[in-house]
Amino acid sequence: MLTLQDVHKRYGSITALDGLSLEIRRGEIFGLLGPNGAGKTTTVNIAVGLLAPDRGSVSIEGLGSPRAPAARRRLGVAPQALALYETLSGEQNLRFFGRIYGLSGRKLAERVDWAFDFVALAERRRDAVRTYSGGMKRRLNLAAALIHDPELILLDEPTAGVDPQSRNSIYENILALKRQGRTILYTTHYIEEAERMCDRVAVMDHGKVLALDSVPGLLAAHGARAVLVAELSGETVRVETDDPMAELHRLAASGPLGRFWVEHATLEQVFLNLTGRELRD
């Protein structure tokens, strides 16, 4: 559905993307997971045609460059920086964005009604956006990205700064879009989001893809081995192992065995193994 091939982008002396290549399949939620400054937002901006790559190519399935009007009509984007007019009402915002995409009359009214119901903001549609909470603004931002019923949806940190209730609501919205057959590019630095939402995840840093696979595939390739933790003869024993059950039987034969549990590799471990543990500002 979306292909980026050997994409490079620099801002002066800063390399934002360094030979990035991705293929996003129709109907999947594809996660871009990386620390601040990894190049996620630049990737989204190039994927929707807002920026041109210095080198490399970007194409939408069957339509070529995202800078072509026919391709852009198939794209919906919810940017990390809220794209809303705070002095207008929620409804005025959605009607404005709908008209930009060529909607009018009954079709526009139907899509506005649908969008407010979808993000659970119908009761606040006539209120000025400046009176919305942070979570409500994020949900309206998502609604604006969906007003024209796009096939490919790009969500850049869509839950940044929202409360748990709004975050869960946005999760449910995104999974509903997947069930409708939409293709979604989802950038985040929240590891639990990528683990919960995405069919495949690309871990990126310094403008490059460091690893790309399903979450189980990433855990198998880049995670630590399982750790069996057991209370044996009054002491706590930790053993790295590929076969926890066999190791448990061995420990049980060596003395009185109390409580035991297995600690499995996590996506957080994979993320830190690949991107490092230094603080990022």
Side-chain angles (χ1 to χ4, degrees):
M1 188 69 182
L2 172 66
T3 302
L4 293 88
Q5 184 64 43
D6 194 31
V7 172
H8 294 254
K9 185 67 180 179
R10 292 178 62 86
Y11 302 107
S13 62
I14 298 172
T15 299
L17 296 180
D18 189 9
L20 182 74
S21 294
L22 295 172
E23 288 187 352
I24 298 166
R25 302 167 184 162
R26 179 178 290 276
E28 75 174 338
I29 300 178
F30 185 96
L32 277 183
L33 176 63
N36 293 331
K40 303 187 299 297
T41 295
T42 297
T43 300
V44 170
N45 289 340
I46 287 177
V48 301
L50 185 63
L51 290 176
D54 298 333
R55 191 163 83 246
S57 64
V58 184
S59 62
I60 307 297
E61 182 183 57
L63 293 172
S65 168
R67 294 200 148 193
R72 283 198 170 185
R73 281 194 290 270
R74 294 174 66 181
L75 300 176
V77 58
Q80 182 177 359
L82 294 169
L84 300 170
Y85 295 96
E86 298 233 340
T87 58
L88 301 181
S89 69
E91 181 169 349
Q92 288 170 325
N93 269 272
L94 293 193
R95 291 183 67 84
F96 171 75
F97 288 116
R99 286 196 297 270
I100 285 177
Y101 280 101
L103 300 178
S104 62
R106 178 178 296 179
K107 182 63 175 177
L108 176 59
E110 289 174 351
R111 289 301 299 172
V112 169
D113 289 344
W114 175 88
F116 275 116
D117 288 339
F118 187 69
V119 299
L121 285 174
E123 293 183 357
R124 297 293 303 272
R125 62 188 292 166
R126 292 181 175 83
D127 296 341
V129 170
R130 66 171 179 267
T131 68
Y132 286 18
S133 68
M136 293 168 66
K137 290 177 182 178
R138 280 288 166 197
R139 283 148 52 202
L140 186 65
N141 203 49
L142 175 61
L146 304 175
I147 191 68
H148 57 299
D149 198 19
E151 296 177 57
L152 175 60
I153 303 160
L154 299 99
L155 307 177
D156 190 11
E157 304 279 0
T159 65
V162 306
D163 58 87
Q165 288 81 7
S166 287
R167 179 175 289 119
N168 191 66
S169 177
I170 291 171
Y171 290 161
E172 292 177 356
N173 289 153
I174 294 167
L175 292 173
L177 292 167
K178 174 180 166 59
R179 289 192 294 271
Q180 295 169 13
R182 302 298 185 265
T183 304
I184 299 165
L185 174 62
Y186 190 107
T187 83
T188 184
H189 62 269
Y190 295 134
I191 294 165
E192 69 277 8
E193 287 190 354
E195 202 158 15
R196 173 177 176 177
M197 304 291 295
C198 299
D199 299 297
R200 291 189 300 148
V201 175
V203 181
M204 66 180 298
D205 201 8
H206 303 298
K208 296 181 178 181
V209 172
L210 306 180
L212 194 166
D213 207 336
S214 64
V215 171
L218 290 172
L219 295 178
H222 302 283
R225 299 166 71 194
V227 177
L228 174 64
V229 185
E231 294 177 353
L232 182 65
S233 301
E235 296 184 358
T236 300
V237 178
R238 299 175 60 89
V239 183
E240 284 193 10
T241 177
D242 294 320
D243 190 343
M245 287 303 298
E247 191 63 33
L248 183 64
H249 284 299
R250 187 188 69 79
L251 290 176
S254 65
L257 187 64
R259 294 187 305 151
F260 60 87
W261 61 94
V262 178
E263 296 177 353
H264 293 283
T266 66
L267 190 58
E268 182 175 4
Q269 290 175 337
V270 171
F271 181 81
L272 293 174
N273 288 343
L274 290 169
T275 65
R277 296 174 181 270
E278 294 182 0
L279 292 173
R280 304 290 180 91
D281 295 323

